[in-house]
């Protein structure tokens, strides 16, 4: 069986995206997904996304981490899959899609810039020098003085597999302040099991987190990841963060196809 795909990237987070409205892709075969995402033996990507029909939105997004297992919400993937759906005329410049954590509104801005609405955040857990925030995916956050001194893969893995995250694991984010409204971030991603160039839900967690910690009063935060720049916009009232938008690039890279025997 021959399957067509497009590859997209959002701030360095790259994805294999497939139109699976026919439900022909073997989504329960983790080894195939893992091989396709392998950067030496496959196409190479941080994750794989299927677009399926939805009874609630314009389409449904199913996200798989590069290890082949179905993942939680991917923010950069959400922006990229919206751009992909737009290329198929499933949506125009605005639309709503179904993800694992509910419905998300997205809109295409100029120059391949996509804005993605995120769910409200109510519960934020403070643990000594860190925060835990679920933005559709779980995120551990630490504010550091110098990101260049952090061994993200080793230190991130120790936290991801340690207490109190033994059951489900977590993504791990290190944040450095550049200005009152601008922060650098590096992220160890669960499911990829190493540092990635960017993480959308991690950027959202970082933007909300630095505001919650009182590091900034801005509700319009610039996030500089290794792979590009993202913007997080939100409102805050009585500990509730709402009207959260993740804004950043969603760029087509190339198309191709592969055979599944």
């Amino acid at each position: 069986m021959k399957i067509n795909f497009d590859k997209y990237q959002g701030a360095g987070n790259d994805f294999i995206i497939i139109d699976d409205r026919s439900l022909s892709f073997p989504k329960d075969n983790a080894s195939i997904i893992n091989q396709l995402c392998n950067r030496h033996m496959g196409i190479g990507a941080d994750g794989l996304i299927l677009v399926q029909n939805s009874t609630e939105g314009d389409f449904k997004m199913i996200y798989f981490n590069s290890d082949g297992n179905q993942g939680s919400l991917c923010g950069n993937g959400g922006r990229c899959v919206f751009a992909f759906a737009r290329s198929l005329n499933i949506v125009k410049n605005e639309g709503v899609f179904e993800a694992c954590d509910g419905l998300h509104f997205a809109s295409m801005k100029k120059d391949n810039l996509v804005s993605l609405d995120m769910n409200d955040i109510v519960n934020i857990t403070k643990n000594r020098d860190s925060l835990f925030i679920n933005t559709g995916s779980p995120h551990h956050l630490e504010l550091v003085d110098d990101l260049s001194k952090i061994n993200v893969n080793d230190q991130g893995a120790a936290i991801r597999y340690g207490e109190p995250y033994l059951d489900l694991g977590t993504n791990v984010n290190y944040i450095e302040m550049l200005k009152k409204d601008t922060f650098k971030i590096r992220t160890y991603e669960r499911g990829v099991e190493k540092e990635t160039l960017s993480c959308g839900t991690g950027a959202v967690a970082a933007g909300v987190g630095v505001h919650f910690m009182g590091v900034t009063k801005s509700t319009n935060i610039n996030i500089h990841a290794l792979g590009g720049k993202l913007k997080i916009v939100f409102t805050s009232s009585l500990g509730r963060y709402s009207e959260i938008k993740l804004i950043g690039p969603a760029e087509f890279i190339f198309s191709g196809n592969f055979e599944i025997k």
Side-chain angles (χ1 to χ4, degrees):
M1 177 174 58
K2 183 176 287 187
I3 296 178
N4 298 316
F5 72 91
D6 282 3
K7 187 168 178 184
Y8 277 75
Q9 70 92 11
N13 237 175
D14 58 339
F15 308 97
I16 299 163
I17 309 182
I18 297 169
D19 179 358
D20 190 43
R21 287 176 289 175
S22 65
L23 303 179
S24 57
F25 185 83
K27 65 183 181 67
D28 295 326
N29 193 326
S31 63
I32 288 178
I33 297 171
N34 176 251
Q35 183 177 0
L36 290 171
C37 291
N38 188 292
R39 297 193 182 277
H40 301 288
M41 307 296 288
I43 298 165
D46 291 325
L48 181 144
I49 303 172
L50 300 179
V51 169
Q52 295 182 349
N53 290 317
S54 171
T55 58
E56 300 179 44
D58 294 306
F59 64 91
K60 183 177 183 179
M61 167 192 178
I62 302 180
Y63 175 70
F64 298 87
N65 290 309
S66 62
D67 62 6
N69 296 310
Q70 192 165 336
S72 47
L73 180 68
C74 178
N76 287 332
R79 290 183 300 97
C80 286
V81 78
F82 179 79
F84 174 78
R86 182 173 177 267
S87 75
L88 296 180
N89 293 314
I90 297 173
V91 295
K92 296 190 182 297
N93 287 336
E94 295 183 348
V96 175
F97 66 88
E98 180 184 353
C100 60
D101 65 337
L103 296 176
H104 290 267
F105 173 82
S107 60
M108 176 67 73
K109 307 298 183 183
K110 62 179 182 178
D111 300 328
N112 297 321
L113 206 65
V114 175
S115 174
L116 176 65
D117 286 9
M118 307 290 285
N119 288 335
D120 290 0
I121 297 171
V122 180
N123 297 316
I124 299 177
T125 304
K126 191 175 190 311
N127 299 307
R128 291 188 178 180
D129 298 326
S130 68
L131 294 181
F132 177 79
I133 304 177
N134 193 312
T135 56
S137 288
H139 285 279
H140 172 100
L141 307 171
E142 293 186 15
L143 195 65
V144 300
D145 294 327
D146 187 352
L147 275 180
S148 66
K149 295 181 179 180
I150 303 297
N151 186 325
V152 175
N153 284 327
D154 288 351
Q155 293 175 234
I159 293 170
R160 182 260 193 265
Y161 288 104
E163 292 284 1
Y165 308 116
L166 288 175
D167 291 338
L168 298 176
T170 186
N171 301 283
V172 181
N173 306 269
Y174 298 97
I175 308 161
E176 177 185 340
M177 185 172 70
L178 300 179
K179 296 187 297 185
K180 282 295 184 181
D181 65 349
T182 305
F183 296 81
K184 288 172 65 176
I185 189 172
R186 293 178 65 185
T187 302
Y188 178 98
E189 277 204 57
R190 179 187 68 165
V192 181
E193 303 310 335
K194 62 180 180 181
E195 181 177 13
T196 56
L197 294 179
S198 172
C199 175
T201 54
V204 171
V208 169
V210 292
H211 184 275
F212 178 83
M213 287 186 283
V215 177
T216 180
K217 293 182 179 179
S218 176
T219 57
N220 192 321
I221 308 292
N222 300 301
I223 300 291
H224 293 186
L226 294 177
K229 297 178 181 179
L230 297 165
K231 183 178 287 290
I232 314 301
V233 180
F234 53 85
T235 61
S236 173
S237 177
L238 302 175
R240 185 183 191 93
Y241 290 85
S242 56
E243 299 179 49
I244 304 169
K245 296 182 184 299
L246 167 64
I247 305 167
E251 299 177 346
F252 169 79
I253 304 174
F254 61 82
S255 294
N257 59 70
F258 55 88
E259 287 273 356
I260 294 180
K261 298 180 180 179

